[in-house]
Amino acid sequence: MTTLPPLSLYVHVPWCVRKCPYCDFNSHGVGHDRTLPERAYVDALLDDLEAELALARGRELVSIFIGGGTPSLLSGAAYQRLLQAIEARLPFASDIEITLEANPGAVEHDRFAAYREAGINRLSLGVQSFQSRQLERLGRIHGGDEAAQALRNARAAGFDNINLDLMHGLPEQGVEDALADIDRALALAPEHISWYQLTLEPNTEFYSQPPRLPDEDVLCDIQEAGHARLEAAGYQRYEISAYTRPDRQARHNLNYWTFGDYLGIGAGAHGKLSAWQPDGSLAIERRWKVRQPEAYLRRAQDPRGFVAGRRALETADLPLEFLMNALRLTEGVPRHYWRERSGQPDTLLDARLEEAQAKGLLRDSSQRLQASPHGLLFLNDLLALCDEQ
């Protein structure tokens, strides 16, 4: 029996000013003027966490990620209360990473200092684009200059670890427009850039009324040129859509990708927890919470609690569950992570890898599980091969 994987905490804040047409997250537009039930929601989050403590078994938290929705709609005082109460229930690692997602158009700039004082030490700014025409198409409520000013204000408030979210493959976008967004981001010198392609997800406005997106040849040109521009500026690609300065990887996301554990609290939040059983086997469960904010708040008084569903991972599920995370990383993961974090022998995984290795989609290594450069380009094909029974 080995130690359990690292433990993180995801906190979901489900409200935003306006639902973006591409967004399939559990987010609910409330407009600019609606007052949110801030105190009641923090109370519910803490009740939710209290009910999960037995699953954590006193393990320390290596990271916290507060996502949404638009978490920057809540005040610094709310996060100070929340984080202090979390730390009173679960020990924090000495170098814990605590990230808050913020929309440049939905945060009063003087709030950055309050967030930093509350203990948040990493910001993720949802910029998406700096171009007014694209921001309007994407339903964003900020402008490019406002996004740049938000980062400068965050720096002034003491944040030295900032991610910028950027999209590419936007409606009618060409290579030069995509590179212009990257150049504006680089001029702001964030520690981390998430650069990902717009996709049309079911149950979104864009899915039912698709915009005109670049064709495959243009998308390939954008990806090649953008990758070169980011690496030339000193940003290392360490995940399919993530670039970082040295030693500034998103540690919370790394825990996901390396099959770590995480508690999930908040409306619609998901969690994954591992526990060693008396017979020496490892049980892994995924669980998720009630999605609708109003229903989530009502569950605080409900003996059923906040959990909407749970699913034990079957042995046959584990290879794909593990690989669809680990192979997103450009360097992959050490092979021993499979044994330690799935509780299963190498033979179960190796049987899924033979064809992918034969086709050159995986690097041939006895020490690491790692996609080849070709495998990273065709990750869905690689995972489909690994899923074959």
Side-chain angles (χ1 to χ4, degrees):
M1 184 179 298
T2 60
T3 59
L4 292 171
L7 181 67
S8 295
L9 172 66
Y10 176 73
V11 181
H12 192 74
V13 178
W15 298 287
C16 53
V17 172
R18 182 172 66 197
K19 182 83 170 179
C20 295
Y22 60 85
C23 178
D24 69 335
F25 296 153
N26 182 34
S27 58
H28 305 265
V30 296
H32 284 279
D33 301 323
R34 180 168 169 179
T35 301
L36 298 177
E38 183 174 275
R39 174 163 286 277
Y41 194 69
V42 172
D43 287 343
L45 289 172
L46 293 174
D47 288 344
D48 192 353
L49 179 63
E50 193 74 35
E52 304 268 82
L53 289 180
L55 301 171
R57 305 176 192 276
R59 296 155 66 187
E60 72 174 18
L61 293 175
V62 298
S63 66
I64 298 173
F65 193 99
I66 305 166
T70 302
S72 54
L73 290 176
L74 301 189
S75 68
Y79 288 121
Q80 186 163 45
R81 177 176 167 238
L82 176 66
L83 292 172
Q84 286 176 347
I86 293 171
E87 189 172 16
R89 289 161 172 80
L90 285 171
F92 285 7
S94 60
D95 60 348
I96 188 170
E97 174 192 272
I98 305 177
T99 302
L100 177 79
E101 285 187 333
N103 182 334
V107 59
E108 299 166 2
H109 291 159
D110 59 359
R111 282 193 175 188
F112 285 123
Y115 294 148
R116 188 68 191 89
E117 185 177 350
I120 294 162
N121 54 27
R122 183 176 183 271
L123 279 181
S124 182
L125 295 175
V127 174
Q128 316 312 355
S129 176
F130 290 95
Q131 298 169 35
S132 298
R133 179 170 55 98
Q134 294 291 8
L135 289 168
E136 184 176 349
R137 287 169 165 172
L138 294 172
R140 307 298 288 173
I141 62 172
H142 67 273
D145 291 343
E146 191 175 9
Q149 188 59 48
L151 187 141
R152 289 191 285 267
N153 289 339
R155 290 284 193 222
F159 282 96
D160 63 0
N161 196 2
I162 298 176
N163 168 65
L164 290 186
D165 272 352
L166 281 182
M167 284 183 170
H168 64 87
L170 302 179
E172 301 179 23
Q173 188 179 52
V175 175
E176 291 307 313
D177 282 345
L179 290 178
D181 274 342
I182 290 176
D183 287 341
R184 285 209 65 180
L186 292 174
L188 295 168
E191 284 67 36
H192 189 282
I193 295 176
S194 297
W195 189 60
Y196 54 95
Q197 182 181 328
L198 171 64
T199 56
L200 304 185
E201 302 292 348
N203 302 314
T204 66
E205 182 181 328
F206 272 5
Y207 191 82
S208 58
Q209 301 177 30
R212 183 181 174 187
L213 300 181
D215 62 31
E216 287 298 321
D217 288 341
V218 174
L219 286 173
C220 288
D221 290 342
I222 287 173
Q223 290 165 358
E224 183 177 345
H227 173 73
R229 187 69 56 91
L230 286 161
E231 290 214 324
Y235 289 82
Q236 177 189 6
R237 185 190 189 199
Y238 71 102
E239 188 267 343
I240 286 289
S241 57
Y243 294 77
T244 182
R245 295 284 198 192
D247 300 320
R248 290 305 186 103
Q249 295 89 343
R251 284 167 25 216
H252 186 88
N253 288 343
L254 277 176
N255 197 37
Y256 289 157
W257 297 324
T258 55
F259 215 51
D261 280 352
Y262 51 97
L263 297 165
I265 61 173
H270 284 238
K272 167 196 170 280
L273 275 300
S274 306
W276 289 106
Q277 303 303 294
D279 65 0
S281 64
L282 186 66
I284 304 174
E285 181 184 78
R286 293 198 182 276
R287 50 204 285 127
W288 53 95
K289 305 301 172 59
V290 174
R291 282 179 59 86
Q292 291 295 326
E294 295 80 6
Y296 179 82
L297 287 167
R298 288 195 300 271
R299 283 292 185 101
Q301 310 302 323
D302 193 318
R304 293 174 295 173
F306 299 94
V307 177
R310 62 189 75 197
R311 178 174 67 90
L313 295 187
E314 302 294 337
T315 300
D317 298 331
L318 288 170
L320 183 62
E321 289 267 356
F322 183 86
L323 292 170
M324 68 189 300
N325 288 287
L327 295 181
R328 291 183 63 90
L329 294 168
T330 59
E331 297 298 320
V333 298
R335 273 187 172 262
H336 63 82
Y337 276 21
W338 161 254
R339 297 186 297 276
E340 295 169 0
R341 300 187 180 188
S342 74
Q344 300 297 323
D346 287 339
T347 51
L348 177 64
L349 185 66
D350 290 345
R352 303 288 187 95
L353 303 179
E354 291 176 1
E355 187 174 357
Q357 286 176 328
K359 292 187 173 183
L361 297 173
L362 281 175
R363 289 193 182 276
D364 185 8
S365 170
S366 62
Q367 301 300 316
R368 300 191 70 81
L369 292 163
Q370 182 183 7
S372 67
H374 188 63
L376 284 172
L377 286 174
F378 297 96
L379 187 59
N380 287 339
D381 295 336
L382 168 55
L383 293 173
L385 289 175
C386 294
D387 191 30
E388 292 179 358
Q389 301 290 322

